[in-house]
């Protein structure tokens, strides 16, 4: 197996009512249902939705990197 790999990136947004880390976990769990060989992620944006003056839910934009099979 070669040490040289080729990766592809996709952007997703996860959300959670409980926190930023849960929003990340939710996004990665959903991606794992259809993307193989996920190897890294980068948080590119953090924001939230306000309801009645309080945090309604957190939103986190992620770039997920995955290795192209057989690369």
């Amino acid at each position: 197996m070669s040490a040289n790999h080729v990766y592809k990136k996709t952007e997703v947004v996860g959300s959670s009512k409980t926190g930023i880390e849960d929003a990340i976990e939710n996004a990665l769990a959903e991606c794992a249902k259809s993307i193989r060989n996920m190897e890294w992620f980068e948080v590119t944006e953090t924001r939230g939705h306000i309801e009645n003056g309080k945090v309604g839910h957190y939103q986190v934009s992620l770039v997920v990197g995955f290795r192209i099979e057989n690369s």
Side-chain angles (χ1 to χ4, degrees), residues 25-37:
E25 294 289 345
N26 291 342
L28 293 176
E30 196 61 34
C31 285
K33 293 178 182 178
S34 60
I35 299 174
R36 293 191 309 264
N37 304 319

Side-chain angles (χ1 to χ4, degrees), residues 33-65:
K33 293 178 182 178
S34 60
I35 299 174
R36 293 191 309 264
N37 304 319
M38 291 190 309
E39 296 204 2
W40 55 269
F41 71 91
E42 174 185 355
V43 174
T44 58
E45 188 174 15
T46 304
R47 62 183 172 274
H49 179 74
I50 301 169
E51 296 175 0
N52 300 319
K54 297 182 180 182
V55 175
H57 64 271
Y58 300 88
Q59 296 174 326
V60 179
S61 296
L62 305 171
V63 173
V64 179

Side-chain angles (χ1 to χ4, degrees), residues 3-43:
N4 298 321
H5 300 293
V6 175
Y7 297 88
K8 184 164 181 161
K9 300 187 296 186
T10 189
E11 187 171 2
V12 297
V13 178
S15 65
S16 170
K17 290 186 177 229
T18 58
I20 292 168
E21 288 183 13
D22 282 343
I24 294 169
E25 294 289 345
N26 291 342
L28 293 176
E30 196 61 34
C31 285
K33 293 178 182 178
S34 60
I35 299 174
R36 293 191 309 264
N37 304 319
M38 291 190 309
E39 296 204 2
W40 55 269
F41 71 91
E42 174 185 355
V43 174

Side-chain angles (χ1 to χ4, degrees), residues 1-8 39 66-71:
M1 184 165 177
S2 171
N4 298 321
H5 300 293
V6 175
Y7 297 88
K8 184 164 181 161
E39 296 204 2
F66 56 97
R67 184 175 38 80
I68 295 176
E69 216 161 80
N70 300 320
S71 71

